[in-house]
Amino acid sequence: MLCISKLTRLLLIMQKTIALVAHDHKKPDLIKWAMSHKAELSKHKLVATGTTGGLLQKELNLEIHRFKSGPLGGDQQIGALIAEQKLDCLVFFWDPLNPAPHDPDVKALLRLCSVWNLPVACTTSTADMLVTSPLFIGDDYQRDIRYDRDQINIVNVDIEIAADQGFP
């Protein structure tokens, strides 16, 4: 019979799944930030979009699950983790000054963070505060997720009524 120690159980509870994503012009910033927080990041399960994940894996020498490149579906794969409540935090250094062809994917990913009340950091300052927060580090914080089927149905009905009345 497998016996898991109290410490091991506590570490498993405290381990979070963190997604790391960066646009091309922001990849150096994310790598620099991740290097300065390597000790904390090493305690968690890390996932990333393709190219970003490869660069981080090389620099950090940590295990990182790599999804597809963002424009090729990686943003949606991370979005699916959010919707399935399998992600605890998103560090997404996106470039607001350089439009990308997959901007709708970026907007959808950030929208999912709001819908599911997922902590998201888009700058080094916010990412610093997030991963060093006692709430993030501790094991007793639970996100309040209040989105249920009834709310989704109400939103759909409101959209249908607006469409029937000629609103876009």
Side-chain angles (χ1 to χ4, degrees):
M1 184 166 143
L2 181 65
C3 180
I4 299 176
S5 73
K6 209 175 199 180
L7 178 60
T8 303
R9 269 183 280 170
L10 181 60
L11 289 174
L12 288 173
I13 291 169
M14 292 174 58
Q15 186 181 50
K16 311 262 191 285
T17 300
I18 302 172
L20 303 167
V21 181
H23 284 165
D24 289 343
H25 293 98
K26 296 292 186 169
K27 288 183 192 331
D29 295 340
L30 181 60
I31 291 168
K32 182 179 176 185
W33 175 84
M35 290 296 289
S36 68
H37 293 283
K38 181 179 177 179
E40 182 59 33
L41 292 174
S42 69
K43 300 173 189 172
H44 303 286
K45 180 179 177 189
L46 303 176
V47 300
T49 49
T51 308
T52 303
L55 294 169
L56 286 166
Q57 210 165 25
K58 180 181 174 187
E59 294 295 323
L60 297 173
N61 198 28
L62 294 175
E63 185 178 328
I64 300 174
H65 177 81
R66 293 170 57 193
F67 290 108
K68 294 185 184 305
S69 174
L72 299 178
D75 293 337
Q76 285 91 349
Q77 289 176 300
I78 290 177
L81 290 180
I82 295 169
E84 294 170 2
Q85 299 180 41
K86 294 180 179 177
L87 192 67
D88 297 298
C89 162
L90 172 64
V91 177
F92 186 7
F93 289 4
W94 62 287
D95 190 347
L97 300 179
N98 287 307
H102 67 291
D103 276 347
D105 301 337
V106 172
K107 184 176 181 183
L109 190 57
L110 294 172
R111 179 183 169 278
L112 283 171
C113 290
S114 291
V115 167
W116 292 101
N117 193 26
L118 186 86
V120 59
C122 296
T123 65
T124 55
S125 299
T126 309
D128 288 341
M129 289 184 186
L130 182 62
V131 300
T132 59
S133 166
L135 292 175
F136 184 78
I137 295 168
D139 65 334
D140 57 343
Y141 179 74
Q142 294 293 317
R143 281 187 293 132
D144 184 19
I145 302 170
R146 296 183 183 197
Y147 231 160
D148 60 23
R149 286 203 178 283
D150 292 334
Q151 288 175 305
I152 293 168
N153 289 336
I154 290 169
V155 170
N156 288 339
V157 168
D158 289 345
I159 290 170
E160 288 172 13
I161 291 171
D164 290 342
Q165 295 174 355
F167 295 105

